[in-house]
Amino acid sequence: MMEQQNRVWFITGSSRGFGRVWTEAALKRGDKVVATARKLESISDFSEKYGDQVLPLELDVTKPEQVKEAVQKAHIHFGKLDIVLNNAGYSLVGTIEEATADEIRALYETNIIGPVSVIQAALPILRAQGSGHILGTSSNIGHFTLPVLGYYSSSKWAFEAIHESLAEEVKQFGIKVTIIEPGAYATEFGSQESLKFAGNIEAYTALKTEFIKNLSSFEQGDPNATAQALFKVIDAENPPLRFNMGSHNLPLIKGVYAERIALWELWDEVSRSAQGNKG
């Protein structure tokens, strides 16, 4: 394990869910945290409890100039950045037919462009340091998708692809990258601020009702149990590119990929015929 003292975190979405849990856990273990949220009052309690160990900043990740300003303030205030954790995001619930272009753009602005803005603002600092760890909260559906969550899942597929490329690009500078992939947890992710609904086409009502019923019956993990696992990842000398968070993910993902491989093998002869030569 690596040295754990005096770490400086920059966390987006610190007001609720995993962001709040991880912000508090990092502060409890003695690290310094730049906690950010769209509404400053939603994270003011951290200052009351932890004093100058925390720097609360108002941040809407969809505003690139505000992102740059926040990252610079964080660096100036604490003198370094060790861990950059993109956690802000929300889910758009609706079928592919129902969502409007504006709803899709807004989702991508928060879930994809926002984290990229944070990464781009932080990278010059991390490169100059020759160290740092960029983490991003994805989801187990960064590997597959479900009906009604197609657009949300697509944002996580893009999120994962960006971070996978990023990992290869920045390892030469001593910078590490990890994608956090939680399963179902009892967080505020189902709240009005974290969950938005698209459209209301009657033909899909039964499908959505059944989906939400099945989703609500799924076993949910305890978000407070995740902090120690996260610390093991960031303290590891060689952290994983992808980290499954929870006990259900790996069996589920194994099943998904087994089905895909079986289907690809079934169609392999046809696939090979499309090559157009004997090679």
Side-chain angles (χ1 to χ4, degrees):
M1 293 296 177
M2 298 179 67
E3 181 62 39
Q4 298 181 22
Q5 296 179 347
N6 300 317
R7 293 278 183 84
V8 176
W9 299 59
F10 184 97
I11 303 177
T12 68
S14 293
S15 62
R16 63 186 186 275
F18 288 125
R20 175 164 282 275
V21 170
W22 296 338
T23 296
E24 181 116 37
L27 290 166
K28 280 182 178 178
R29 85 168 191 162
D31 288 347
K32 297 179 175 66
V33 178
V34 182
T36 74
R38 284 180 297 171
K39 298 178 181 179
L40 199 56
E41 60 268 23
S42 67
I43 52 175
S44 60
D45 58 307
F46 288 131
S47 293
E48 296 167 8
K49 191 171 182 179
Y50 296 99
D52 59 8
Q53 192 183 337
V54 62
L55 174 64
L57 294 176
E58 185 174 301
L59 177 60
D60 180 342
V61 297
T62 66
K63 299 177 179 178
E65 290 306 314
Q66 192 179 36
V67 169
K68 290 179 184 177
E69 184 180 354
V71 170
Q72 290 301 319
K73 281 182 178 179
H75 185 233
I76 291 169
H77 187 83
F78 285 124
K80 63 173 182 173
L81 292 177
D82 297 304
I83 300 158
V84 176
L85 174 49
N86 271 308
N87 178 71
Y90 69 92
S91 179
L92 180 63
V93 179
T95 64
I96 300 304
E97 184 179 356
E98 289 174 312
T100 67
D102 286 343
E103 287 170 329
I104 299 164
R105 288 191 192 98
L107 178 74
Y108 287 5
E109 284 287 341
T110 297
N111 288 11
I112 304 171
I113 306 302
V116 168
S117 294
V118 173
I119 290 167
Q120 290 180 340
L123 272 176
I125 295 169
L126 303 186
R127 283 193 287 105
Q129 290 176 172
S131 65
H133 196 166
I134 296 171
L135 298 102
T137 305
S138 181
S139 168
N140 60 354
I141 62 171
H143 293 277
F144 59 93
T145 190
L146 296 168
V148 186
L149 290 180
Y151 289 115
Y152 172 66
S153 186
S154 75
S155 74
K156 293 306 181 183
W157 284 35
F159 188 89
E160 299 242 350
I162 289 165
H163 281 75
E164 188 167 331
S165 289
L166 176 69
E168 289 299 311
E169 294 163 358
V170 301
K171 65 182 181 180
Q172 62 180 313
F173 307 120
I175 301 169
K176 301 168 183 177
V177 177
T178 296
I179 306 163
I180 306 166
E181 299 174 331
Y185 277 87
T187 67
E188 296 95 329
F189 194 68
S191 68
Q192 192 171 12
E193 290 187 334
S194 297
L195 205 62
K196 297 185 180 180
F197 291 84
N200 189 25
I201 297 176
E202 188 176 349
Y204 296 111
T205 300
L207 173 68
K208 291 194 289 186
T209 300
E210 183 66 19
F211 172 77
I212 292 171
K213 178 183 176 182
N214 292 338
L215 201 63
S216 63
S217 66
F218 198 77
E219 181 186 352
Q220 295 184 321
D222 177 5
N224 293 308
T226 63
Q228 292 305 314
L230 181 64
F231 293 155
K232 287 181 180 178
V233 170
I234 65 167
D235 292 337
E237 186 174 352
N238 296 300
L241 171 62
R242 286 181 171 85
F243 176 66
N244 275 317
M245 184 166 275
S247 58
H248 299 293
N249 289 14
L250 188 56
L252 182 59
I253 293 168
K254 278 183 175 180
V256 168
Y257 277 96
E259 287 183 9
R260 288 177 182 174
I261 290 169
L263 184 62
W264 292 329
E265 288 179 340
L266 180 65
W267 282 86
D268 187 52
E269 185 176 345
V270 179
S271 298
R272 289 174 178 272
S273 71
Q275 184 69 27
N277 57 45
K278 296 180 180 181

